Amino acid sequence: RKEVEQDPGPFNVPEGATVAFNCTYSNSASQSFFWYRQDCRKEPKLLMSVYSSGNEDGRFTAQLNRASQYISLLIRDSKLSDSATYLCVVNTRLDYKLSFGAGTTVTVRA
Amino acid sequence: EAGVAQSPRYKIIEKRQSVAFWCNPISGHATLYWYQQILGQGPKLLIQFQNNGVVDDSQLPKDRFSAERLKGVDSTLKIQPAKLEDSAVYLCASSRLVSGDTQYFGPGTRLTVL
């Protein structure tokens, strides 16, 4: 079983729509959780960390469910510029080595 | 602040040839990572350095891959000999500390092995 699994999508949504997707992780001892964004043929960039109580950053909301071992990302009022692959990232070890999911592709259309 | 620098950006070689990639992390960042990202997959950690010491190289195919960070600053990753399945983007990342710190990625080197 993979350490981090994501629905690859693609999620095709119109501008202004809300889109949400999940990521599951296998190691119950995982400590830190992140969403990275990767544009086509570009490097990953940190979008946001995911905290136990859930957190928002503008139009982006991240949630953590430790009992079910998944994290989620919700994007409100989607913009064309939100089109990207969103990588779920989990720290599964004490020495802060990150495990990346394969990514969920989101395409926002005009 | 300058970002993580990598070169070359693209490389095409034939199988069984050798290739080397270079990475210069953000100034002052103690930790440097090399990742392999195969098309359609997430990045996979190959090796992690803290200063000039190896923290983790458990997923580095040591029969053909090697990496060094001799002075605790820039780093090179070498593949010798290359195989077709090594075709991927090789990403270098750095972070200020090891624990709980954001990783910043370079633009990557896109390797094609023919």
Side-chain angles (χ1 to χ4, degrees):
Chain A
R1 183 182 174 187
K2 293 181 181 178
E3 291 188 26
V4 181
E5 297 203 59
Q6 295 184 247
D7 180 347
F11 289 77
N12 295 305
V13 299
E15 270 188 297
T18 295
V19 60
F21 40 90
N22 293 340
C23 153
T24 59
Y25 58 95
S26 61
N27 189 336
S28 59
S30 297
Q31 298 179 317
S32 306
F33 309 89
F34 310 88
W35 285 104
Y36 275 68
R37 171 194 170 126
Q38 188 169 27
D39 293 316
C40 186
R41 302 178 77 87
K42 298 286 189 180
E43 70 273 22
K45 292 184 180 179
L46 178 66
L47 177 67
M48 60 195 301
S49 301
V50 185
Y51 303 122
S52 297
S53 56
N55 49 298
E56 285 189 11
D57 183 0
R59 298 179 294 105
F60 297 84
T61 301
Q63 296 282 352
L64 168 63
N65 186 315
R66 285 191 183 272
S68 300
Q69 294 183 204
Y70 74 86
I71 66 174
S72 63
L73 182 66
L74 182 146
I75 308 173
R76 289 186 304 276
D77 188 22
S78 298
K79 311 292 185 190
L80 295 176
S81 57
D82 295 334
S83 297
T85 296
Y86 292 85
L87 300 169
C88 173
V89 186
V90 176
N91 169 19
T92 55
R93 303 187 190 187
L94 294 175
D95 49 5
Y96 203 69
K97 278 165 282 194
L98 303 181
S99 292
F100 286 77
T104 296
T105 299
V106 173
T107 302
V108 182
R109 62 182 188 273
Chain B
E1 179 180 73
V4 177
Q6 289 188 248
S7 67
R9 293 294 311 278
Y10 305 91
K11 191 72 177 179
I12 301 174
I13 61 173
E14 295 189 350
K15 60 183 179 183
R16 291 188 289 274
Q17 286 187 323
S18 302
V19 64
F21 313 127
W22 174 82
C23 171
N24 193 30
I26 292 172
S27 178
H29 280 198
T31 308
L32 185 148
Y33 313 80
W34 282 103
Y35 290 87
Q36 179 193 59
Q37 186 172 24
I38 293 172
L39 187 64
Q41 298 181 21
K44 181 185 82 170
L45 179 69
L46 294 176
I47 189 167
Q48 177 182 346
F49 293 95
Q50 184 175 3
N51 297 312
N52 59 351
V54 175
V55 175
D56 180 21
D57 62 358
S58 58
Q59 297 193 91
L60 187 73
K62 299 181 185 65
D63 57 334
R64 297 183 301 106
F65 286 63
S66 64
E68 60 183 14
R69 192 185 185 198
L70 293 176
K71 297 182 180 179
V73 181
D74 57 349
S75 175
T76 55
L77 176 69
K78 296 180 182 178
I79 308 175
Q80 180 180 8
K83 293 185 175 181
L84 297 176
E85 58 262 34
D86 298 333
S87 294
V89 176
Y90 291 84
L91 294 161
C92 179
S94 70
S95 63
R96 193 169 54 89
L97 304 170
V98 175
S99 178
D101 211 12
T102 300
Q103 294 188 19
Y104 297 88
F105 285 83
T109 297
R110 187 173 299 273
L111 174 67
T112 301
V113 182
L114 302 175

